[in-house]
Amino acid sequence: MAEVDVAFIQEPVHRPNPSLRQEADGIPLIDLSAPDFDALISDIGHACRQWGFFQIINHGVPPERLQKLEAAARKFFHLSLDEKRKVSRGGLDKVMGYYNTEHTKNVRDWKEVFDYTVKEPTLAYASLDEDDDTVAYWENQWPENPPELREFCQEYATEMVALAMRLLELVAMSLGLPPGRFEDFFKDHTSMVRLNCYPSCPSPDLALGVGPHKDPGVLTILAQDDVGGLEVKRKSDGQWVGVKPVPNAYIINLGDILQVWTNDVYESVEHRVVVNSVKERYSVPFFLNPSHYTMVAPLEEMTDEPNPAKYAPYNWGKFQLTRKQSNFMKLQVENIQISHFKN
């Protein structure tokens, strides 16, 4: 136990048990090129209701986009700490870049990350003051090494935005809504990509790569390498189950905003990342987020007299900024959640 800093040690209730680890049966694997479009929409709806998670294949993203990005990411994370810290995140004036002391639910994660926004710059709020509409411009910090990282990151982000908007159309149709129902929320979207490196860990029974959490945005598109480590809390029985890597597949999980928009018809699902003592693991999540000025509330179409809105409206930009602040300091209370807006 002396090998792991106490900051990484999870509460006993959250500690993984590698010997009991089970892989999930039944996480839907959806072929986006399936010829029966109605069946595809039905499959998406079923996956959203039953799991909040699914995997997709034949998604149209060329595999070399991810391969080039992963190779560049490995080069970056293998640089010296001093070199990586030249592009360190730090406070609300530098929210993008390298970081290795992130906390989830106030416990330090066993990982290193490099964050970048898709829109350069990304428009955000400058302060947490609810009455302050001053706009900040989030800029990316690009490292000098490896020199190809910036180009590969930007190419990949373009692919992810196109795929995410296509998925959102399918999700809308699975709810009986017009395919473009969500479009207007993304004019100045605040989406971002994260490069994750999970080093091998001497005590994988005490620490987690990422602690249990739900994603606050709209949806996440995750690429994971063949090491695996993502675990989902199965809705049917509350058990943690591993998501087996499928070659050239992406894992999709619904975020909290979709839960609010659908008035709990679709729910975001708790997930975490376990680490192992032998191999380092890489993953690349893309987080689809709306414009900073978006007021998030249940859609009119998802509410009626017997089923009123279950959430009070909240501002995405202020919510996001509050969450970002917790990355830089340990909070005394749980960070803001959509449950705080439950009617």
Side-chain angles (χ1 to χ4, degrees):
M1 194 152 138
E3 294 181 86
V4 172
D5 187 307
V6 67
F8 292 103
I9 295 175
Q10 295 283 333
E11 293 290 324
V13 67
H14 293 310
R15 288 178 197 169
N17 188 334
S19 64
L20 292 180
R21 190 157 193 261
Q22 55 173 314
E23 285 191 333
D25 290 324
I27 285 188
L29 181 65
I30 296 176
D31 184 346
L32 290 191
S33 68
D36 186 339
F37 193 69
D38 289 342
L40 173 61
I41 298 298
S42 174
D43 288 347
I44 295 269
H46 179 266
C48 290
R49 280 187 176 84
Q50 299 300 315
W51 283 91
F53 258 85
F54 53 96
Q55 297 204 64
I56 56 170
I57 54 173
N58 295 323
H59 39 68
V61 180
E64 58 270 16
R65 285 275 192 270
L66 180 61
Q67 290 160 5
K68 291 195 300 185
L69 180 57
E70 278 191 338
R74 285 174 190 272
K75 287 183 191 174
F76 173 76
F77 286 117
H78 286 161
L79 295 172
S80 70
L81 192 55
D82 284 346
E83 189 70 20
K84 288 181 284 195
R85 280 182 172 159
K86 288 179 182 176
V87 289
S88 277
R89 287 172 9 185
L92 295 179
D93 57 336
K94 278 189 182 177
V95 296
M96 297 298 142
Y98 172 76
Y99 208 59
N100 68 345
T101 55
E102 189 157 87
H103 289 70
T104 301
K105 302 286 176 71
N106 283 330
V107 181
R108 188 171 164 187
D109 295 331
W110 191 272
K111 69 180 181 192
E112 298 176 67
V113 306
F114 177 80
D115 288 342
Y116 68 97
T117 61
V118 174
K119 280 185 171 280
E120 299 186 76
T122 287
L123 304 182
Y125 283 119
S127 84
L128 291 169
D129 182 345
E130 286 186 23
D131 300 320
D132 184 0
D133 288 337
T134 309
V135 171
Y137 297 90
W138 289 356
E139 304 275 2
N140 287 324
Q141 298 190 81
W142 296 109
E144 287 181 21
N145 290 306
E148 69 272 20
L149 184 68
R150 178 176 187 165
E151 180 188 346
F152 294 167
C153 282
Q154 291 168 328
E155 285 178 356
Y156 188 76
T158 301
E159 298 280 0
M160 288 298 101
V161 171
L163 177 57
M165 297 314 290
R166 184 177 162 210
L167 285 167
L168 213 49
E169 288 187 352
L170 297 174
V171 169
M173 294 170 78
S174 76
L175 292 160
L177 302 171
R181 177 62 179 90
F182 298 113
E183 244 172 53
D184 290 347
F185 296 116
F186 296 94
K187 181 171 178 286
D188 297 303
H189 66 93
T190 54
S191 306
M192 56 165 284
V193 181
R194 166 167 288 181
L195 309 179
N196 281 320
C197 173
Y198 302 98
S200 58
C201 176
S203 298
D205 55 331
L206 297 177
L208 285 167
V210 184
H213 68 287
K214 297 181 178 186
D215 292 348
V218 178
L219 60 79
T220 302
I221 303 175
L222 175 74
Q224 65 169 344
D225 65 14
D226 58 2
V227 174
L230 176 67
E231 291 190 341
V232 179
K233 195 176 234 185
R234 189 163 48 198
K235 285 172 73 171
S236 60
D237 59 6
Q239 288 294 309
W240 286 107
V241 290
V243 182
K244 187 178 180 182
V246 174
N248 297 323
Y250 283 108
I251 298 163
I252 312 301
N253 71 275
L254 307 184
D256 286 341
I257 289 178
L258 260 177
Q259 179 167 329
V260 174
W261 278 345
T262 66
N263 208 30
D264 285 353
V265 171
Y266 293 167
E267 294 177 3
S268 59
V269 175
E270 204 168 15
H271 52 289
R272 68 184 187 183
V273 174
V274 297
V275 286
N276 71 62
S277 58
V278 182
K279 295 178 177 175
E280 63 180 5
R281 171 183 183 259
Y282 288 86
S283 72
V284 185
F286 163 84
F287 302 103
L288 179 68
N289 298 325
S291 310
H292 70 284
Y293 45 77
T294 300
M295 291 302 295
V296 180
L299 301 178
E300 286 179 19
E301 301 96 318
M302 305 305 293
T303 60
D304 53 30
E305 207 169 317
N307 189 34
K310 295 178 180 175
Y311 297 90
Y314 65 91
N315 178 277
W316 164 246
K318 299 294 184 182
F319 185 98
Q320 184 186 36
L321 203 59
T322 306
R323 291 285 281 249
K324 287 266 182 235
Q325 193 178 42
S326 78
N327 292 338
F328 306 107
M329 64 180 77
K330 184 164 179 169
L331 306 177
Q332 297 307 308
V333 294
E334 185 183 31
N335 205 349
I336 193 167
Q337 309 288 338
I338 56 169
S339 56
H340 293 121
F341 299 94
K342 199 101 185 188
N343 285 332

